[in-house]
Every structure is written in structure tokens, then in C-alpha cells.
Amino acid sequence: MTMTLTAPEPTRPDTRSRLVVIGNGMAGARAVEEVLARGGGDLFAVEVFGEEPYGNYNRILLSEVLAGNAATEEIYLNPVEWYAEHGVTFHCGVRVVRVDRFAKLVYGNDGSIVRYDKLVIATGSRSFFPPLEGMWQDLKTLTPGVFGFRGLDDTAEMMRHAPDHDVAVVIGGGLLGLEAARGLQNYGMTTHVVHAAPTLMNQQLDAQAGRILQRSVEKLGITVHCNVRTTAVLGEEKVTGVRFGDGSALDCDMVVMTAGIRPNVELARRAGLTVERAIVVDDQLRSVDDDDVYVVGECAQHRGQVYGLVAPLWEQAGVLADHLTGVNPRASYHGSRVATKLKVAGVDVAAMGLKEPEHEDDEFVQFSEPRRGVYKTVIVRGGKLVGATLLGDVSKVAFLTQAFDRGLPLPEERIKLLFDIGGPSPEVGAAELADDAQVCNCNGVTKGQLVACVRGGEHTVSGVMNATRAGKGCGSCKSLVKDVCEWAAGGAVEQDPSERWYVPGVPLEKAELMAAIRERELKSVSAVFAALAPEGKEDAGSKMALASLLRTMWNDEYVDERDARFVNDRVHANIQRDGTFSVVPQMKGGVTTPEQLRTIADVADKYAVPLVKVTGGQRIDLLGVRKEDLPKVWADLGMPSGYAYGKSFRTVKTCVGSDFCRFGVGDSTALGIAIEDRYKGLDSPAKMKLAVAGCPRNCSEALVKDVGAVAVEGGRWEVYVGGAAGAHVRKGDLLATVDTPEEVVTLTGRFMQYYRENADWLERTYSFVPRVGIEHLRAVIVDDSEGIAADLDRRMQESVDAYKDPWLEAGQPATPGQFRTSLPLVELPQVPVRPAP
Amino acid sequence: MSTHVLGPAEAIPEGEGRAFVVGGEQVAVFRLRGGALRAVQAQCPHRGGPLADGLVDAEVVVCPLHGYAYELADGCARSGAGALLVYDVEADPAGQLVVRLPGRRVEEVGGAAQARLEDAFAEPVA
Ligand code: SRM
Ligand SMILES: Cc1cc2nc3c(=O)[nH]c(=O)nc-3n(C[C@H](O)[C@H](O)[C@H](O)COP(=O)(O)OP(=O)(O)OC[C@H]3O[C@@H](n4cnc5c(N)ncnc54)[C@H](O)[C@@H]3O)c2cc1C
Ligand code: SF4
Ligand code: FES
């Protein structure tokens, strides 16, 4: 689609020169920003053509998007509206197909023709697809299942393809290939990296480093094939495999090509500009053929070099803007020193400059510990750092990068370049840096800019990062950014408050939020937004957490607004993939009766419930119930809700215990039932699942529950908290050993109340307990060191008293159409249906 | 363009959505807090989630299945999924919901940022 945003018509005829930029990638957009920053808006009417139909985004974060660490919208540097706001005309989604240097015209593929006085070419590169048999279906179409990895669209297509495919082969084991392979693992794919050279990342790393890297990558579960040439992509309709040089083949259903990039130079070549590996430019970034044509970024070749990283293009854009706007007509570019970092979680790699010594008198310091995956080298020439490789331990990367970029003096004992042995502390490091030293190499931010930002009133590291964009690229400089900020602030900088907000839409930490709610007696979610959110704006993403918190705080007095609830809590059941729901009746301690079972069986038959299943929480689940049947199902069951859908108290699993089991030393079943009976359904920041075991054999798995009680010899009970065996596995910490079941009930309640009042939203006890520390919890909950035990018990009692079985709503819906289906035409259920018995 | 009357706006609780079959299409209609009305396709483009069951605020609806968010005004995804069809909806003087077909879709290209460019979508009257 093509859209053109035109800046408002000026009232007087526009006498400004016309600056046209081709390419809206990282270099083109940066050049525009630099020009505007130098007052270029008064000199030039700026028009930008961008083939990709998006604003300008941070290409290097595509790896993070693929890996699921960043959302697409988070990587925009300048959204589409930025252009209009800055008086720039943006031809969004328009590809320039021709440049006529003699008439000074640029032709867009949408028919637009624009005249320029000065032209900037910033067309970047594209993925290189080596000529492999079977890769293309026709001249323009890749065989389905084959992908490049260059733009947002490539990334989005991969993300669409990956989830329902199994095996990915990434061809090319450089930075890009490894990042792609790691990203694809997150979709459950088996991933292979096929690399033609003998070792991975051979552009940046020597052979030894490459081999150690290979081992670290394989530890992540990625299979690496080095020294292997791919000769063909197999499959007619879609990819089914790849064939290698030795004739062997590998089955796969996805192929990602990361075997290099090629500059986009056809436009320039046809316009008669000199093109070698890329468009040849002089030290002012002008084409050597035409003083009115500038070239920046990956499509520029300067002194024989073509760069494939962002740091050089920041420098280029600065020089270009200095020159073009006349701010510094003598500005010139002398080439960049490049440092790279691999953005793969779990494998730290940083490399800069030379990978191996070249001259006889180059100093070469090497440390290798392959077993731990650690390898480090530095190369020093004439007292200056000219190369460094850090693998597995990048603690020295900040200093080395600075030393490399700035030619800083080096410690006499070269080993200090690799290890902190009484080396300068980070603060000293920050203090010593020159003002114009570049701290963030991705976004080109200097120490001076960071310092100015702090002095200008920015008090948090993230505030400085947002304002300057430092640390927002690959992230490897974050610690140095922090050091510089701290140094500039003359001490500690503040933590970014938003990280601690309880919900994204209200700028308060939990304790402050609770205090404000209490003080202003805010009893409904809408009242909280009105009183405490910026501009009183409601926020869908905050509603569920606020509803839960308010209910915890106000119990009966809470003003229930149904729209603040997540659908599960609106209809008291768990939504399923097809919009049907599951119904889990309460079954305290996992104990049931023949009557209950008979009722459940009847209900299952009557409503044709597709699946009846015994759950991991020791209850019976009726799955695939239609929304409109829920009230009838509850009424017919005549059992209370088991809360299998809420962020709430869930279940208490029990074992048979002393009544039946020959090893039982405590009545775990009775205690489990008592606990569930008392605390059923309580709202909490995240699920609370409990268990009680009759002896240390632990058949109910009490050691891995949010709260677990274990009977031990002598009639005593151990109480564990913070255990988990779901997404995370953690043995609970022993909170106390007590003499009676009553004490277990009390301590359980007191712990849960403390957790309800202090945990972050969705923070399970397995995170909360280690965060606050078991010693602290023991002091507060068991020894009452803060004198709040009685208050906790009282507030818990209030919540217990306010309990009301939500399934009683079966009789009188809380809102009109509460149980109306939300997919009116769909044939339900779509979950598999149980065959008739 | 066809016009359909779906009954009283009050049948949708404030801040919630309800799904309707309108001329053979499934439409989720939301009555926002403050009274504004919005209508989008009822099924989430991600994996068919029931959008009428989603949480909403003045700007977005969040699908209950996997949490993708969509702009209510123009249907654009905030999370890189395809865009929703949006429908004109208003309450007539008698308080009846009126929905107009067909719906429109912002080209599925640029996500939220792109979508805001399109001022083709008149603010629905509430
Ligand atoms: C039904 C059940 C599986 C079964 O058939 O056995 C189940 C089903 C679901 N579990 Fe579970 N979990 C079930 C026992 C467990 C257990 C075992 C237990 O409770 O003893 C665990 C490990 C303990 C724990 O909670 O840590 C468990 C760990 C999870 C997790 C991981 C939580 C974590 O932070 O580690 C999730 C995801 C989440 O909460 O975000 C989850 C989420 C889910 C959801 C609710 C996913 C969802 O949001 O839709 C599943 C609902 C399916 C459906 O359509 O109804 N379920 N789930 C079990 C119901 C137990 C019950 O009677 O209430
Ligand atoms: C997944 C990934 C991860 C990366 N990680 C890193 C990293 O960690 N560190 C690092 O330093 N670098 C990294 N890079 C490299 C970095 O992104 C590039 O060096 C940088 O984007 C180059 O900028 P550019 O403006 O020259 O080219 P691009 O950003 O590619 O921009 C060129 C733009 O011009 C447009 N265009 C081309 N031809 C035309 C035409 N005829 N008309 C209109 N528009 C046109 C293209 O569509 C494109 O939008 C990474 C790259 C990728 C793909
Ligand atoms: S483990 Fe739990 S969340 Fe995952 S599929 Fe099974 S029931 Fe669903
Ligand atoms: S179905 Fe809507 S987010 Fe997945």
C-alpha cells in the first residue's frame, strides 16, 4: 500500500532547497535526523522515500523480535507520524525505481516524480540468496518455507511459519545465522546451523574461538554443521529438506538464508554512479561522480570498506549532515573501527578489530578455558589495542571497546586487559572517558550526551536511555551507560520507577498504590483510574490486577465492576481454545463421594461434555462446556466452584495420610480439607496451590507447592513456602515446624495474606519468597518481628468471611448476556469430542 | 452499505462487549465506559479467539486467548497480527444499536503506527 504524508502547505512559496532521501532504514533516517538537528529544516524541504511500508525501526532488534523478547511496536525509532511532525514528507511504502541525475528527478513506483537539489542514497542491503537449486519457485518467488532475515516482513513471516513447523535449517553461521537459529528455538523448532567455513563466525573470530563458540551453541541445543556446503533446497511445493555437497541430505520444513548480504546498488548503477562492491564515496560521503548525491550506510563504499553494522553509519550520517548543512564544511569521514556483539542469550561473544596478530611485533595475549566456554584475546600494536575477542566472559567489554575506539593508554600488565585484577573500578572508568567517547555504539551516543542528559534533569538510567537511546540497540553498553549516569549524577541514580509499578496504567508501586487506595477509599477499578492514572485514563492491561487487589483490600466493600474482570472471572470458568469453557467443581483435598461422582457423570452426559478428566490438582474437570450452558451445569452439579480459572487460591492436594496409609504420621487429608475449606477462592496476585503430606515421603508433592505441609514424626508439621513444579521448579523453603494442625492453618493464612499484600502482580511464591528472603518471612510471620501478625490474621479473616461461591450466579446473571456466546456462528465445541461410550 | 438494528445499546454492559450475527457476519460490539460504541470482527485473527470476551479500554480490545491487542478505532494490531475488520456503529435516538456493513480493514501492513495515518475512520457517534 502506498500512502503519502504531506507536510502542511507553507503560506509563502517555499524557497528552501529540496533534499530527497532514498531509503528509510537506519542510515537514511539517521541522516535526516542529523540534518534536522543542525537546523536543516530551514534550509531544506525534506522528502523521504521508503520501500518498507513502516516508520523507521531498529533493524538490529529484529533478532529480539524473532526471539520473542521484543514486540514489533517496541522497535520503532520514528513512527510514521514522526515525519509529519517534523515537517518531512514521507513516501511510505514507495520504492524509487529511477534517478535521473541530469533532470534531478526521482521516480517512485507509485508514479510520483520528485525533484531534488541534493539527494541522499541510503538503500542499505538485502539478504543474499546464493544460487541453490530448488530455492526459487520462479524468478520472484522463494520456495515456500525459505526465508531471508533482513526486514520486519521477513521476521513476521518467519514468526508465522515457525510455530507449526518442526525443523529449521539456517544456512550461514555468522552473527545473523546464530541469532536466527536461537530465535527459532523459541517456537519449539529443532534448529540446525549449516556453515560452509570450518568455524562459526569466522569473519570475526579465529578458529579456536570459533570452535569454542560451536560447543557453547551446541549446548543450547542447536546442531552445528561446519565445513558443509549446501547445494540444494529440496521439495516441490514447499521445503522438505536440504542437500549438502557430499550428497547427504537433511529433512527440514524451514530454511533461513543468512549467508551474507548484498548492497542495493542497482539504482545508483543505472544512474551512472561508480559502483564497485558498493557505491563509491569520498570523505564527505558524496558519490565520486556527483557532488549533489550523497550515499550513507551499507550501500556506501568508503576507502574500499563497506560496513555491515550500525556504528559506522551513525558516524557517516553525522559527517554527511555537517557537510550538507554547512555547519562544518570541512567535516570528513575517515572510516570506522568496528566492534560486534552476538545477541544470543546464554552465549556471550564480543569481537573488535583484528582477530589474529598480523605483524611480527604485534603483542598477542590469549586465554583459553574451553571447558567453561571461555576464550579471550587481545592484540596490541604500538601500545594501542587493535583487536580483542571475548567469549563466554565479556566483563571487560566496556573498557576494551573504549580502549579500541579511543586508543586509550593500556595497563602495562596486559593481562589486566582480560581480567579485573585490581584494575580501575567502573566509576573510574566512567570518569576517565573523554567527553566525546562513544558509549553506545549502536545508537551513537557519547559520554558527553549522557552527562548532559543527567545534568538536564533526567534522574533515572532508563530515563536517560529513553531520551538518548543509549543502550537501546544491542544492549551491550547498558552497564557502561549506567556507570556514566551514576558518575554524572555524583552517586546513585534512581531506579526506573515504572519497573516497580504494580500495574502499567497507574504510576505507583504496590505499597503506594495500596496506601492511596485506602486513603481515598477507592473501591472500584474505574475509581482507581479516575483518581490515580495519568489523565484518568483506563488501561485494559491493568484492570484484572486492580480488580484482584481491590477485592483483597476491601472484601465485601469492593465495588465490583464486571468489565474490570478477565473473562474467566466474568463467567467463573476457564476459557479454552475454541471459546468453550472448563468446569472444575470444588473437591476439597481431592476427596470425593460416590454421589458426587454420579452427579458429575450425569451432568457430563446431559451436556455432552467432550472430555471428563482427572486433573493434576486432584479434581475432576469437565472440558468443552459452552458458555451458555455454564449456569445450568453449575445448577445441576450443585457443587461450589473449584476456582480452576482464577488468579486465586486453587487446590490443596493431599495424600491418604495416617487414616489409611501404613507410613502416615499425620492426618494429611483432614488438614488439607480444613485448609481448602477455610481459604477457598481467595484472590491473590498469582495462583496459590497447596498440598499436605502425611509423612516425609511426600506423595502429595508438598515440597514443591506455594505452601506445603508435611507431617513428621512426633505429631509435628513442617510448613514449606515458595515451592514450585510447573514452569519453574523449586523446592520450598522451610518456614516453621509446628506442633498442631491448627498452627499450620494459621501460619498458612498469615503467609498467604502477607504474600497477597506484598507480591507483585503475577509473581508466584517461587519468585516472591526468594525475593524477600525466607529469613525475613520467618521473622515477620513466625516470630512477628514487625508486630503485624495479628493484623495479617484479622485481614485474612475478613477475606475468609467475605467468601461467596461465584457459581451461585447461575440463578441470577450479574450482567445482561453474561453467558451469551461470543462466537455466535461457530459450530462448538471445536475441541475434540469424546466418543459415545 | 447495509444498516442493521441490533436492539438496545443497554443490552451491552458498560465496558464490555457482546457478539452479534449481522447480515451473516460475526461482529463484536463494545460499549465503552463513557458510552462510546465500537464494532469489530468477532473472531481474533490470531487463532480465532472470541474478542467480545476481551478486556477493553478507550483504545484497545485485548483478546482473551493470547493477549493480542487491537485498536478499536481502526482494527490495527498492536502486536503484529493481522488487522481486524471495523464496522460503523452508533446508537440511534431511540437507543438502538445500529451497525453498518460492510466493515473495512486497514491494509495489513504497518501495525498501529501506520493505521493512525488513515483518518478514513470517522469517530463513531455514541
Ligand atoms: C486442568 C489442569 C491440567 C490437568 O488436566 O491436570 C491444568 C490446566 C491448565 N493449566 Fe495448569 N493445570 C492443572 C494443574 C497444574 C499443576 C499441578 C497442580 O496444580 O498441582 C501445575 C504445577 C503447579 C504450579 O501451578 O506451579 C500447573 C501449572 C500451570 C502453569 C505454570 C505456572 C507457573 O508459574 O509455574 C500455568 C501457566 C500460568 O499459570 O500462567 C498453567 C495454566 C493452565 C491453564 C489454566 C492454561 C490456561 O490459562 O488456559 C490450563 C487450563 C486448561 C483448560 O482448558 O481448562 N498451569 N498446572 C490442572 C488443573 C488442576 C486443578 O484441579 O486445578
Ligand atoms: C536481524 C539483524 C540483526 C542485526 N544486528 C546488528 C547488531 O547487533 N549490531 C549492528 O551493528 N548491526 C546489526 N545489524 C546490521 C544493521 O541492521 C545494518 O547495518 C543497518 O540496518 C544498515 O542500515 P542501512 O540504512 O544502510 O540499511 P537498511 O537499514 O537496510 O535500510 C535501507 C532501507 O532502504 C530501503 N530501500 C532500498 N531500496 C530502496 C528504493 N529503491 N526505494 C526506497 N527505499 C529503498 C529498504 O527497504 C530499507 O528500508 C543487524 C541486521 C539484521 C538484519
Ligand atoms: S501443561 Fe497445562 S497449560 Fe500446558 S497444555 Fe497442558 S493443561 Fe494446558
Ligand atoms: S486468538 Fe486472539 S490472541 Fe490468540
Side-chain angles (χ1 to χ4, degrees):
Chain A
M1 182 186 55
T2 291
M3 276 186 300
T4 307
L5 251 195
T6 316
E9 282 293 318
T11 41
R12 280 175 292 121
D14 196 341
T15 53
R16 297 175 297 174
S17 303
R18 305 179 62 105
L19 173 65
V20 172
V21 180
I22 308 177
N24 186 37
M26 302 197 73
R30 182 64 165 228
V32 171
E33 283 183 35
E34 296 281 1
V35 166
L36 295 181
R38 288 165 179 71
D42 298 334
L43 303 173
F44 296 105
V46 185
E47 296 202 22
V48 177
F49 284 84
E51 183 179 7
E52 289 183 276
Y54 310 109
N56 163 238
Y57 62 88
N58 193 340
R59 193 172 305 283
I60 76 180
L61 293 186
L62 290 177
S63 307
E64 305 290 327
V65 171
L66 181 67
N69 299 332
T72 314
E73 66 269 20
E74 285 170 35
I75 70 167
Y76 281 98
L77 295 169
N78 297 318
V80 173
E81 39 300 52
W82 180 91
Y83 296 85
E85 284 161 14
H86 290 77
V88 174
T89 306
F90 182 27
H91 301 267
C92 179
V94 180
R95 171 180 172 77
V96 171
V97 289
R98 188 157 83 90
V99 175
D100 180 341
R101 284 202 289 126
F102 304 97
K104 292 200 160 180
L105 294 177
V106 161
Y107 293 77
N109 67 346
D110 62 344
S112 55
I113 304 174
V114 175
R115 193 177 58 76
Y116 69 83
D117 296 302
K118 298 282 178 190
L119 182 67
V120 174
I121 300 181
T123 47
S125 314
R126 60 178 179 274
S127 303
F128 171 55
F129 293 96
L132 295 187
E133 184 194 323
M135 182 144 68
W136 298 90
Q137 276 198 324
D138 58 50
L139 283 177
K140 295 182 106 165
T141 327
L142 286 166
T143 302
V146 180
F147 300 86
F149 187 20
R150 177 71 191 179
L152 258 181
D153 290 340
D154 296 329
T155 312
E157 280 166 27
M158 283 200 270
M159 290 168 74
R160 265 197 292 275
H161 185 85
D164 28 294
H165 290 82
D166 302 320
V167 183
V169 171
V170 176
I171 298 178
L175 284 163
L176 207 53
L178 294 176
E179 290 178 10
R182 183 61 169 154
L184 291 172
Q185 278 192 307
N186 289 326
Y187 302 85
M189 297 195 86
T190 305
T191 56
H192 296 260
V193 171
V194 180
H195 192 52
T199 52
L200 291 178
M201 275 180 72
N202 51 308
Q203 300 272 1
Q204 294 89 6
L205 301 180
D206 66 24
Q208 199 173 344
R211 279 193 296 272
I212 295 177
L213 173 63
Q214 176 167 351
R215 238 171 289 162
S216 309
V217 169
E218 281 171 342
K219 269 201 199 124
L220 299 175
I222 296 170
T223 313
V224 178
H225 312 254
C226 279
N227 243 335
V228 171
R229 249 174 0 95
T230 314
T231 54
V233 172
L234 306 175
E236 297 280 295
E237 296 296 299
K238 57 183 194 316
V239 171
T240 58
V242 289
R243 192 164 53 229
F244 300 130
D246 64 1
S248 66
L250 178 62
D251 287 344
C252 67
D253 45 22
M254 178 169 189
V255 170
V256 181
M257 296 300 314
T258 53
I261 52 174
R262 290 293 178 269
N264 292 317
V265 294
E266 295 70 18
L267 200 60
R269 186 176 282 134
R270 268 182 282 127
L273 301 176
T274 304
V275 174
E276 293 172 4
R277 289 164 58 219
I279 310 165
V280 182
V281 298
D282 64 15
D283 285 356
Q284 280 68 46
L285 283 315
R286 286 173 307 193
S287 149
V288 290
D289 310 284
D290 189 333
D291 280 357
D292 292 328
V293 177
Y294 291 77
V295 185
V296 271
E298 287 187 349
C299 59
Q301 172 181 329
H302 173 260
R303 298 192 188 177
Q305 287 288 331
V306 180
Y307 297 97
L309 293 166
V310 292
L313 64 87
W314 298 152
E315 291 181 49
Q316 294 176 354
V319 171
L320 177 151
D322 274 345
H323 192 260
L324 183 63
T325 57
V327 165
N328 176 7
R330 278 198 297 276
S332 66
Y333 176 67
H334 303 292
S336 300
R337 295 162 159 265
V338 293
T340 49
K341 180 177 181 279
L342 179 67
K343 303 190 295 295
V344 167
V347 184
D348 287 322
V349 181
M352 58 200 84
L354 301 183
K355 57 178 183 176
E356 279 153 326
E358 286 174 348
H359 299 177
E360 210 156 88
D361 47 4
D362 282 350
E363 293 172 53
F364 183 53
V365 188
Q366 191 182 22
F367 171 84
S368 167
E369 201 185 343
R371 196 186 48 82
R372 278 204 309 135
V374 176
Y375 180 74
K376 314 188 197 190
T377 64
V378 290
I379 302 161
V380 178
R381 181 181 298 168
K384 299 273 193 293
L385 186 67
V386 292
T389 301
L390 297 173
L391 206 74
D393 169 11
V394 291
S395 53
K396 297 295 285 180
V397 71
F399 175 76
L400 289 176
T401 314
Q402 296 302 325
F404 175 71
D405 282 348
R406 314 285 315 159
L408 297 185
L410 302 177
E412 264 314 302
E413 296 166 65
R414 302 296 196 220
I415 188 75
K416 286 188 177 164
L417 289 166
L418 296 182
F419 298 97
D420 278 316
I421 354 180
S425 69
E427 296 73 40
V428 180
E432 273 173 355
L433 289 179
D435 254 8
D436 61 345
Q438 183 156 293
V439 174
C440 172
N441 285 325
C442 290
N443 289 329
V445 185
T446 62
K447 173 184 167 189
Q449 288 168 302
L450 293 174
V451 172
C453 188
V454 173
R455 307 244 155 101
E458 204 46 80
H459 294 300
T460 66
V461 177
S462 60
V464 171
M465 283 172 44
N466 284 334
T468 62
R469 289 203 207 137
K472 295 252 164 186
C474 71
S476 62
C477 64
K478 273 187 196 157
S479 65
L480 187 59
V481 172
K482 182 162 165 281
D483 292 342
V484 171
C485 291
E486 278 173 3
W487 173 79
V493 284
E494 293 153 29
Q495 199 198 14
D496 175 15
S498 75
E499 288 165 21
R500 299 288 313 148
W501 298 348
Y502 193 59
V503 294
V506 180
L508 293 173
E509 293 183 19
K510 183 164 187 176
E512 300 163 350
L513 176 63
M514 288 175 69
I517 289 172
R518 210 168 289 123
E519 187 194 330
R520 305 198 197 185
E521 305 214 348
L522 305 172
K523 296 186 180 172
S524 71
V525 172
S526 62
V528 173
F529 285 130
L532 305 176
E535 297 161 38
K537 222 171 117 183
E538 55 170 351
D539 171 42
S542 303
K543 286 186 171 182
M544 186 181 177
L546 288 175
S548 161
L549 182 67
L550 290 175
R551 194 149 40 172
T552 303
M553 293 176 66
W554 295 113
N555 298 309
D556 285 345
E557 291 171 59
Y558 165 63
V559 179
D560 181 15
E561 290 166 341
R562 288 295 166 135
D563 62 309
R565 298 180 175 211
F566 181 60
V567 62
N568 285 5
D569 300 311
R570 289 185 192 166
V571 301
H572 322 298
N574 190 80
I575 191 163
Q576 305 185 323
R577 42 183 302 204
D578 63 350
T580 59
F581 290 83
S582 65
V583 172
V584 182
Q586 186 185 70
M587 201 168 271
K588 291 178 209 162
V591 177
T592 181
T593 61
E595 292 89 307
Q596 264 191 352
L597 291 174
R598 236 172 256 126
T599 314
I600 291 173
D602 289 343
V603 168
D605 277 343
K606 178 166 171 192
Y607 296 95
V609 171
L611 181 73
V612 183
K613 181 178 181 305
V614 176
T615 71
Q618 297 187 342
R619 313 192 282 191
I620 294 178
D621 194 349
L622 305 172
L623 295 117
V625 178
R626 293 152 195 260
K627 196 179 180 191
E628 55 276 32
D629 284 342
L630 288 171
K632 292 177 272 178
V633 167
W634 301 331
D636 286 357
L637 282 172
M639 297 165 67
S641 168
Y643 286 92
Y645 44 81
K647 299 300 170 210
S648 61
F649 182 99
R650 290 290 189 84
T651 52
V652 185
K653 299 208 312 192
T654 69
C655 68
V656 284
S658 53
D659 269 3
F660 294 89
C661 175
R662 62 199 160 117
F663 295 118
V665 292
D667 190 349
S668 48
T669 322
L671 178 53
I673 292 174
I675 293 175
E676 184 162 352
D677 191 40
R678 179 164 168 76
Y679 300 117
K680 57 186 176 282
L682 288 177
D683 288 276
S684 52
K687 297 182 283 198
M688 299 191 293
K689 298 180 173 181
L690 291 75
V692 184
C695 86
R697 286 171 192 76
N698 237 313
C699 297
S700 55
E701 300 157 333
L703 292 184
V704 289
K705 291 280 144 190
D706 296 291
V707 182
V710 181
V712 292
E713 204 43 74
R716 292 164 59 90
W717 294 88
E718 291 176 341
V719 180
Y720 292 85
V721 294
H728 187 91
V729 179
R730 180 175 194 273
K731 178 173 181 286
D733 296 321
L734 182 63
L735 180 70
T737 307
V738 297
D739 293 324
T740 63
E742 290 72 30
E743 283 170 278
V744 175
V745 175
T746 308
L747 281 189
T748 298
R750 201 179 291 159
F751 166 76
M752 291 194 300
Q753 184 64 19
Y754 189 78
Y755 165 72
R756 297 202 310 153
E757 293 179 9
N758 292 285
D760 290 331
W761 176 242
L762 300 186
E763 182 183 33
R764 287 286 292 263
T765 64
Y766 61 70
S767 308
F768 174 75
V769 169
R771 173 163 73 82
V772 298
I774 186 67
E775 291 77 21
H776 173 77
L777 287 170
R778 205 175 286 133
V780 173
I781 288 158
V782 185
D783 306 328
D784 196 13
S785 61
E786 294 180 1
I788 59 169
D791 288 333
L792 290 170
D793 292 349
R794 179 179 49 76
R795 290 196 289 269
M796 177 51 97
Q797 186 62 45
E798 285 167 9
S799 290
V800 166
D801 292 341
Y803 170 80
K804 200 162 148 254
D805 174 22
W807 286 2
L808 296 176
E809 265 171 29
Q812 35 193 187
T815 55
Q818 183 182 3
F819 299 105
R820 223 175 75 188
T821 174
S822 283
L823 290 175
L825 285 187
V826 179
E827 193 54 53
L828 290 178
Q830 300 207 321
V831 293
V833 173
R834 179 170 55 119
Chain B
M1 179 84 62
S2 62
T3 302
H4 303 259
V5 179
L6 306 181
E10 253 76 80
I12 306 177
E14 202 178 22
E16 291 192 38
R18 292 289 179 262
F20 299 86
V21 181
V22 187
E25 288 184 46
Q26 304 179 70
V27 179
V29 183
F30 298 90
R31 190 154 73 95
L32 307 185
R33 286 198 161 258
L37 294 168
R38 299 283 186 271
V40 299
Q41 74 186 57
Q43 258 181 301
C44 177
H46 177 228
R47 301 234 175 113
L51 291 171
D53 279 337
L55 279 160
V56 294
D57 57 28
E59 286 159 13
V60 297
V61 53
V62 182
C63 176
L65 288 197
H66 312 101
Y68 282 35
Y70 301 89
E71 302 278 346
L72 285 166
D74 56 30
C76 276
R78 284 206 179 166
S79 356
L84 303 179
L85 278 167
V86 290
Y87 300 87
D88 277 338
V89 58
E90 61 182 18
D92 69 10
Q96 296 285 313
L97 278 175
V98 180
V99 168
R100 264 183 287 275
L101 295 186
R104 283 160 308 184
R105 194 193 310 273
V106 172
E107 281 264 337
E108 299 181 8
V109 278
Q114 181 96 20
R116 273 180 232 119
L117 272 179
E118 295 255 346
D119 52 7
F121 299 102
E123 193 65 6
V125 203

